[in-house]
Amino acid sequence: MHGLIIKAIQSFVCANYGRQTWVDSTTAAGLEFADFEAMLTYDVEIYPRVLGALCCKLDRPRSDVLEDLGTYLLSHPNMEGLRRLLRFGGVTYVEFLQSLDDLSDRVRLAVSDLILPQLELQELSQSDFRLHCHSGLEGYPSVMTGVLRAMADDYGSLVFLSQEATQGPIEVLKITLVESAFAKGRNFELGAHSHDR
Amino acid sequence: MIARAALARLMDTLCPMYLLVDQNGNIQEVGPTLQKLRPDMPMVGRAFLDLFKLVRPRDVTTVPSLLATPGARLHLKFHDDPQTALRGLIAPLPNDAGAVINLSFGISILDAVRDYSLTSADFSGTDLAIELLYLVEAKSAAMEASRSLNLRLQGAMLAAEEQAYSDALTGLKNRRAMDHILGHLVSMNSTFALMHLDLDFFKSVNDRLGHAAGDFVLQQAARIMLEETRDDDSVFRIGGDEFILVFKGLQDRRKIETIANRLIERLCEPLQFQGHSCKISASIGIALSTQFDAPDPAGVVNAADLALY
């Protein structure tokens, strides 16, 4: 399990619920440490254990917690860098959706040992899409739901998202684009990074 | 032959940083992205070499001679600021109708997107510029994460090393540190004097007044040894009441004997611990690296050992 994944959860919990909640969760999961390193690898067992303990502590279903994690990753000021990386995917929300086919490859280009499940976008019409999430990371479709929601806000688009009940290893997210220019989205400049610093 | 206007429309889409110049180097058409770099200065009608400074090839100074080297890679920049390094390729048109010069940013793209507020729409769909920008940001973020991890690991390593080389009770260096330092001195052919110091009556203090008193005595003895040596010298605790002192560069036996006598004199002064007087003493054996034709650490330590008894 890549440290970036657990570190993302740690960062999300500390920012939204406070560090104590995180420390309690790792303790409840039977870990002797609470701080994860983004660039180290951890036992694959740790992810479900920590996640289980966290949901128990927060008393919320796993899918809700993970969806919030996805939203956090793209909308919290801590995570501006990640938002920018995803915005490189396209100029419009639809282009961004189309770029998701390449997301796992893009991720590997940046961090070669971070393997995320394959995504595949099916375009049913100009406003109806189905995103197929392949297996490989428990709860990934829920995280993606949060990501898609946050990115819709970022582009100023109005979307409806729902997870289809499916059987088999591939989970499906239904995306309905109600209006692509619903609100003024957040600014994105290709070269804004060095200005921000 | 395709008409100029049609060619221009085609080029606008395929390579939005092109120029169409006539045989004399006057600009006839310009791609939208290239024009965006100088919004207040229409390029059409201007002379190519008035706008751009040719960096390479160096020996070419006129457009006709440039047209005579088709396929040449051009390195150029603007005459005015921001100069923005550009790369180019020149392709002459048939029938002496001038040439197409296609430009790109090359490595200057990172500054260019910022300086000119370029967007994805300014690059052709097949241009890898956006991917390059993505990669630079993604790799920088990953590198930064690795770098901060390295710093933390380095700090932890230094602390562990410090711990591995020192004696927790007295703060003196330990036997492992001694092996390391003696090995270094020998390999550098440095001369040094070595003292083996045993505390006498330490055991009786320990037995009579307890371990706390014993620890106190050891700490005081360590302090005295540090006070009586120079910064360049090293003091090691290598056993319960055994110490090694190494004096770098010292080879005068009389000098080292003076130091030894002063150490014994001070260590014999009674120490007060919780109202009790603790009296210890010390025995010292001395060896000089210059005693040996080819000194080795174990040999010098052994010689000091023998001198002790």
Side-chain angles (χ1 to χ4, degrees):
Chain A
M1 166 74 38
H2 202 286
L4 266 168
I5 295 174
I6 307 188
K7 179 74 184 183
I9 303 177
Q10 178 185 342
S11 165
F12 156 69
V13 174
C14 290
N16 283 13
Y17 300 100
R19 185 171 164 80
Q20 195 53 48
T21 303
W22 176 249
V23 173
D24 292 348
S25 306
T26 52
T27 310
L31 298 181
E32 283 169 1
F33 60 98
D35 288 312
F36 287 84
E37 286 290 350
M39 286 295 162
L40 292 181
T41 309
Y42 294 92
D43 194 297
V44 68
E45 278 296 291
I46 287 184
Y47 171 73
R49 256 164 60 197
V50 170
L51 198 57
L54 174 67
C55 295
C56 204
K57 165 98 186 150
L58 296 178
D59 194 20
R60 293 184 61 203
R62 220 183 49 162
S63 56
D64 283 11
V65 173
L66 288 177
E67 194 178 320
D68 283 358
L69 166 67
T71 305
Y72 165 81
L73 290 177
L74 273 301
S75 57
H76 197 277
N78 285 350
M79 293 287 152
E80 174 64 12
L82 196 57
R83 172 189 94 91
R84 281 188 56 80
L85 290 181
L86 282 195
R87 281 291 295 249
F88 276 108
V91 181
T92 63
Y93 189 65
V94 171
E95 268 186 46
F96 160 73
L97 290 178
Q98 290 162 345
S99 79
L100 292 175
D101 285 6
D102 300 332
L103 184 66
S104 69
D105 288 337
R106 273 177 177 267
V107 165
R108 261 191 310 127
L109 212 52
V111 182
S112 57
D113 55 347
L114 177 55
I115 314 285
L116 291 181
Q118 200 68 42
L119 299 172
E120 228 178 294
L121 188 78
Q122 196 184 359
E123 301 182 56
L124 303 175
S125 73
Q126 292 197 330
S127 57
D128 289 297
F129 306 85
R130 293 172 88 225
L131 185 69
H132 297 244
C133 301
H134 290 241
S135 60
L137 181 61
E138 241 182 291
Y140 192 52
S142 300
V143 178
M144 281 312 295
T145 304
V147 166
L148 294 178
R149 211 184 287 291
M151 285 308 275
D153 285 349
D154 215 276
Y155 281 100
S157 303
L158 184 62
V159 295
F160 285 140
L161 300 168
S162 60
Q163 200 163 336
E164 270 181 22
T166 45
Q167 289 162 347
I170 295 180
E171 296 185 69
V172 176
L173 298 181
K174 269 185 75 178
I175 305 153
T176 309
L177 182 62
V178 181
E179 205 176 332
S180 59
F182 174 71
K184 191 178 179 318
R186 283 175 68 192
N187 198 24
F188 174 69
E189 279 175 33
L190 289 178
H193 216 59
S194 29
H195 276 317
D196 295 346
R197 283 189 172 171
Chain B
M1 183 61 206
I2 186 168
R4 201 181 88 192
L7 177 63
R9 273 201 304 281
L10 193 68
M11 303 287 288
D12 281 353
T13 312
L14 290 179
C15 39
M17 287 183 65
Y18 77 98
L19 289 164
L20 200 62
V21 297
D22 67 16
Q23 203 59 9
N24 300 316
N26 292 316
I27 297 169
Q28 295 178 304
E29 303 281 350
V30 59
T33 303
L34 187 57
Q35 181 60 65
K36 190 174 175 180
L37 308 189
R38 289 293 182 273
D40 303 326
M41 186 202 293
M43 295 186 185
V44 173
R46 303 281 300 262
F48 174 68
L49 289 175
D50 282 354
L51 277 177
F52 298 97
K53 180 175 155 65
L54 204 54
V55 182
R56 264 172 222 285
R58 288 187 195 287
D59 48 348
V60 177
T61 50
T62 65
V63 170
S65 57
L66 203 57
L67 289 176
T69 55
R73 283 167 176 271
L74 312 181
H75 289 236
L76 21 111
K77 49 186 173 185
F78 281 103
H79 279 295
D80 59 333
D81 286 328
Q83 291 195 318
T84 311
L86 295 165
R87 301 222 248 127
L89 198 61
I90 188 161
L93 293 172
N95 308 323
D96 294 339
V100 173
I101 303 174
N102 190 27
L103 301 180
S104 85
F105 289 111
I107 210 77
S108 70
I109 182 132
L110 296 178
D111 294 326
V113 288
R114 199 187 55 222
D115 290 347
Y116 304 114
S117 300
L118 299 178
T119 69
S120 307
D122 293 318
F123 297 96
S124 107
T126 53
D127 196 320
L128 289 175
I130 306 302
E131 276 72 16
L132 178 76
L133 295 170
Y134 160 81
L135 257 191
V136 168
E137 279 198 33
K139 283 289 181 193
S140 305
M143 181 67 94
E144 181 55 33
S146 287
R147 213 185 62 90
S148 85
L149 170 62
N150 282 344
L151 283 177
R152 281 195 296 281
L153 289 181
Q154 191 187 28
M157 188 185 75
L158 286 178
E161 254 175 22
E162 177 81 22
Q163 228 169 19
Y165 282 111
S166 64
D167 167 47
L169 176 66
T170 59
L172 296 179
K173 300 182 181 77
N174 61 15
R175 182 184 283 274
R176 185 181 301 154
M178 180 187 79
D179 293 342
H180 184 75
I181 287 177
L182 284 182
H184 181 70
L185 286 173
V186 166
S187 72
M188 299 300 287
N189 286 325
S190 308
T191 56
F192 60 93
L194 187 143
M195 235 183 235
H196 188 161
L197 187 153
D198 261 11
L199 294 183
D200 303 325
F201 315 120
F202 165 72
K203 208 173 165 326
S204 82
V205 171
N206 235 353
D207 293 347
R208 199 162 49 88
L209 300 171
H211 286 298
D215 288 352
F216 171 76
V217 166
L218 287 171
Q219 284 166 339
Q220 295 310 308
R223 180 180 55 80
I224 290 170
M225 285 180 244
L226 287 175
E227 283 172 5
E228 293 301 329
T229 51
R230 305 163 302 176
D231 286 350
D232 259 6
D233 305 331
S234 309
V235 183
F236 309 92
R237 178 170 177 227
I238 59 163
D241 54 1
E242 280 183 79
F243 300 82
I244 295 268
L245 292 82
V246 173
F247 301 84
K248 197 179 156 192
L250 196 63
Q251 44 189 324
D252 179 343
R253 187 169 279 276
R254 257 182 312 186
K255 232 183 227 169
I256 187 113
E257 278 169 358
T258 314
I259 298 172
N261 287 331
R262 200 165 57 231
L263 272 169
I264 292 174
E265 197 177 304
R266 284 197 62 189
L267 288 169
C268 285
E269 290 165 12
L271 296 161
Q272 292 301 315
F273 179 74
Q274 295 178 348
H276 298 282
S277 178
C278 315
K279 175 114 176 55
I280 55 162
S281 173
S283 328
I284 290 176
I286 293 169
L288 300 175
S289 66
T290 46
Q291 280 169 239
F292 299 83
D293 293 333
D296 70 296
V300 183
V301 171
N302 199 33
D305 245 9
L306 292 176
L308 180 68
Y309 295 110

